[in-house]
Amino acid sequence: MPDYSASREDHIASFGRLFAWSGGGLLLVFLGFVLVDSMPLQLLNPAWQLRFTNRMVNTSLLALVGFLLLHLGLYIEPANGFLRAQVATARQWAIVVVFAFLLLVPLQGFATWRVLSQAQGNEAMQRNVLGERVTMIRQAIEAATSPEDLQARFSRLRAPRPELPAAALSLPLGELKRSLLDELQRTETRANNRIGGPAPTDLWALGQGAARVSIAALGFAVAFAAGAQRPGASLTLLQQLSRQVDILLGRRPKPNRRAP
């Protein structure tokens, strides 16, 4: 008569190993996505920082599911020493992951501030360059003693140089100056209107991105803290933190169950 009980235990063990290996595979996929998207490293580049924080948050669900599948595999096959060692290692590394997620919050905020600062700096620089250019042209027009002298002064300016049409050389100097100064004023106004900081839609998108990454990072930090555990510790990182909070608030610490 076939031993159905042994066959059932083999099936349960195979499911446990399937969950565990699937969890390990998802963790590798997560690491692969993050590492590949981080290359080449540009740690001081705010655009790279924003891309890195977004990639971490967007792919962290893979890591969390993988972490949970490892525990599920051990729950199904608790006698498997290899799985127990793998889960213990994953719990230790989860401590690093928790702090990594917590660091994403200030990193996202700093990168967002840097992007806005650079945009404002570029706007100010463009306005300064435009102002200097307009001032030099205006001074050349006002100081000219004749149309020919004005043409000569224009030729000494940095490129791109304004040029007088041939018909302008026959105009009276006063009329020519007024015409050129009026046109210069209109050109400066149009150029200033084209120079602008970040659009309101861009600012809204940056704010949304910062809020989304910060909230998600805190959520993932809490989720991994629920399973993070130091070697030899009986409580998870989240349980230890909860106990410390109770002590600081003057409450009697709740009896925490030993981490599974």
Side-chain angles (χ1 to χ4, degrees), residues 77-161:
E77 195 179 7
N80 191 318
F82 175 76
L83 290 184
R84 185 169 295 277
Q86 294 298 104
V87 170
T89 301
R91 281 176 172 259
Q92 295 172 30
W93 278 103
I95 299 176
V96 179
V97 174
V98 170
F99 286 102
F101 277 116
L102 292 177
L103 288 175
L104 287 184
V105 178
L107 179 60
Q108 175 75 12
F110 177 71
T112 302
W113 172 77
R114 284 281 308 280
V115 167
L116 292 176
S117 297
Q118 287 184 356
Q120 292 172 351
N122 290 336
E123 179 186 357
M125 183 181 65
Q126 292 178 36
R127 293 191 185 278
N128 287 337
V129 170
L130 175 63
E132 292 175 359
R133 176 74 173 170
V134 169
T135 299
M136 288 189 297
I137 296 175
R138 181 178 289 112
Q139 290 174 348
I141 295 172
E142 293 173 345
T145 58
S146 66
E148 292 76 11
D149 180 43
L150 180 56
Q151 184 76 296
R153 290 176 182 274
F154 280 172
S155 66
R156 291 193 293 268
L157 295 178
R158 293 195 304 268
R161 302 176 182 87

Side-chain angles (χ1 to χ4, degrees), residues 143-251:
T145 58
S146 66
E148 292 76 11
D149 180 43
L150 180 56
Q151 184 76 296
R153 290 176 182 274
F154 280 172
S155 66
R156 291 193 293 268
L157 295 178
R158 293 195 304 268
R161 302 176 182 87
E163 294 185 1
L164 289 176
L169 297 176
S170 61
L171 293 175
L173 182 61
E175 181 182 347
L176 177 60
K177 285 186 175 183
R178 285 193 301 272
S179 175
L180 291 176
L181 289 174
D182 289 343
E183 180 61 29
L184 181 63
Q185 181 63 47
R186 290 192 293 270
T187 302
E188 182 182 16
T189 301
R190 289 195 297 269
N192 271 314
N193 291 336
R194 286 195 296 268
I195 298 173
T201 53
D202 295 333
L203 292 175
W204 179 252
L206 278 174
Q208 280 185 318
R212 182 179 65 84
V213 169
S214 299
I215 294 172
L218 291 175
F220 281 119
V222 172
F224 278 96
Q229 191 172 14
R230 292 182 292 107
S234 59
L235 302 177
T236 66
L237 189 61
L238 186 62
Q239 289 172 330
Q240 292 176 358
L241 179 61
S242 176
R243 175 163 293 189
Q244 292 298 322
V245 170
D246 287 338
I247 294 174
L248 289 175
L249 295 178
R251 298 195 301 239

